[in-house]
Amino acid sequence: MKVVVTGASGLIGSALVPHLREQGHEVLSLVRRTPASRHQARWDPDEGRIDVAALQGTDAVVHLAGAGVGDHRWTASYKRTILQSRVDGTTLISRTIAELDPAPRVLVSASGIDYYPDTDTEVTERSGRGTAFLSDVVEAWEGATASAREAGIAVSYARSALVLARKGGVLERLRPLVNLGLAGPIGPGDQWWSWITLDDQVRALTRLLDGDLPGPVNLSSPDPVPQRELVRALARQAHRPAILPAPTFALRAAVGQFSETIVASHRVVPRRLLDAGFTFEHPTLADAVRWVSS
């Protein structure tokens, strides 16, 4: 199968591409720079340009590109960047593949669990949306796939939780605090954090290429935990204490409006993956901590 991947150099993409190739798929990465090999093609979502010829014969697309929500303070300008980087890139991909003949069978488009409301109640793919800025972003992001859906392409929205990886991701920021014994509760500490290991994220994205799970699919482990439990588990593995808290007011002073996302509670259940028979390699937090620390 020929699979086109955007965001291939990011945390998830850099793990997904070699995995797909190991599975025997031909992978074409869309890059913003001059292609370095025949396995790359040029696109520029800001300018609305893409190498259409290189996409001919594509069977599936995994669209992961988008500005990092935690990379910068949320100024009005950066909030526009977060939104536009998702909507513009997704619109370009969707319109382009909808016009291919034949069109790909599947589009797996990255999304996020921030679609859901801030709540301690379990949520599934059937749950409604929240009212926060990122809920608005996710709704617009998923809506930008309209051209692909209308062309009969099976579109899955991969609503990802926090991705735990051996290198990079959220743990890259937490590890220095853990090693110093400073990783206590962040905000109230009792907010639910849903997570998934990078290994399971890649396997779940690959599963979605089957095309039989269109619509929203939660990419999260079946074991969401209160935030303080996640940090304590990491600290135990590192033989460090996890005592000193980071109060909400201090987070707000440090990172601005992004603090709302950090202290929000998302108790997400991957109902559709479980019902489809997907097996997690790291279903519990204990499994995940052992894996990321190995």
Side-chain angles (χ1 to χ4, degrees):
M1 186 162 63
K2 179 178 178 180
V3 184
V4 170
V5 179
T6 75
S9 62
L11 174 69
I12 298 169
S14 60
L16 177 65
V17 169
H19 175 78
L20 291 175
R21 287 181 174 144
E22 288 170 4
Q23 297 293 311
H25 300 298
E26 175 191 353
V27 182
L28 178 72
S29 301
L30 294 187
V31 298
R32 293 171 180 260
R33 61 186 182 278
T34 301
S37 75
R38 63 183 179 83
H39 301 296
Q40 297 179 345
R42 185 77 178 266
W43 82 317
D44 186 340
D46 296 334
E47 298 295 329
R49 294 198 297 264
I50 192 168
D51 184 349
V52 178
L55 270 59
Q56 297 295 334
T58 296
D59 298 295
V61 177
V62 182
H63 174 47
L64 303 173
V69 296
D71 291 354
H72 299 279
R73 195 177 185 89
W74 280 9
T75 61
S77 174
Y78 195 66
K79 286 170 73 174
R80 286 194 296 273
T81 297
I82 290 171
L83 176 62
Q84 291 175 355
S85 69
R86 285 159 173 74
V87 171
D88 293 352
T90 305
T91 299
L92 177 59
I93 284 290
S94 297
R95 287 178 177 171
T96 302
I97 64 174
E99 295 172 357
L100 293 177
D101 186 17
R105 293 185 305 103
V106 183
L107 168 61
V108 178
S109 190
S111 186
I113 62 169
D114 293 291
Y115 173 85
Y116 302 112
D118 178 354
T119 177
D120 294 338
T121 302
E122 287 188 351
V123 296
T124 71
E125 292 88 351
R126 291 181 176 272
S127 301
R129 56 154 287 177
T131 58
F133 165 67
L134 288 182
S135 300
D136 297 338
V137 168
V138 171
E139 185 170 64
W141 192 5
E142 294 180 355
T145 63
S147 296
R149 292 197 314 272
E150 292 166 3
I153 297 169
V155 180
S156 294
Y157 307 117
R159 290 182 179 169
S160 179
L162 292 171
V163 177
L164 305 184
R166 289 169 171 152
K167 279 189 169 183
V170 65
L171 293 189
E172 197 75 17
R173 300 184 182 190
L174 286 178
R175 276 196 184 98
L177 298 177
V178 168
N179 291 336
L180 291 171
L182 301 176
I186 298 176
D190 58 359
Q191 70 273 31
W192 289 84
W193 274 16
S194 293
W195 56 270
I196 186 170
T197 62
L198 179 59
D199 183 52
D200 279 333
Q201 175 87 359
V202 165
R203 292 176 57 253
L205 288 170
T206 304
R207 171 64 180 82
L208 293 182
L209 292 177
D210 290 348
D212 60 341
L213 291 173
V217 182
N218 293 334
L219 269 58
S220 61
S221 85
D223 185 33
V225 294
Q227 180 273 327
R228 61 163 55 92
E229 288 188 18
L230 188 150
V231 174
R232 283 173 181 167
L234 293 172
R236 282 195 299 271
Q237 189 71 21
H239 305 291
R240 305 297 297 167
I243 300 172
L244 295 179
T248 301
F249 73 86
L251 283 174
R252 189 174 296 114
V255 301
Q257 189 182 354
F258 180 55
S259 63
E260 296 175 6
T261 297
I262 298 173
V263 301
S265 190
H266 290 122
R267 192 176 181 180
V268 177
V269 177
R271 177 52 53 206
R272 297 192 69 199
L273 279 178
L274 293 173
D275 288 348
F278 181 81
T279 301
F280 288 85
E281 291 291 329
H282 312 113
T284 70
L285 181 60
D287 296 326
V289 170
R290 281 193 293 270
W291 179 76
V292 300
S293 302
S294 62

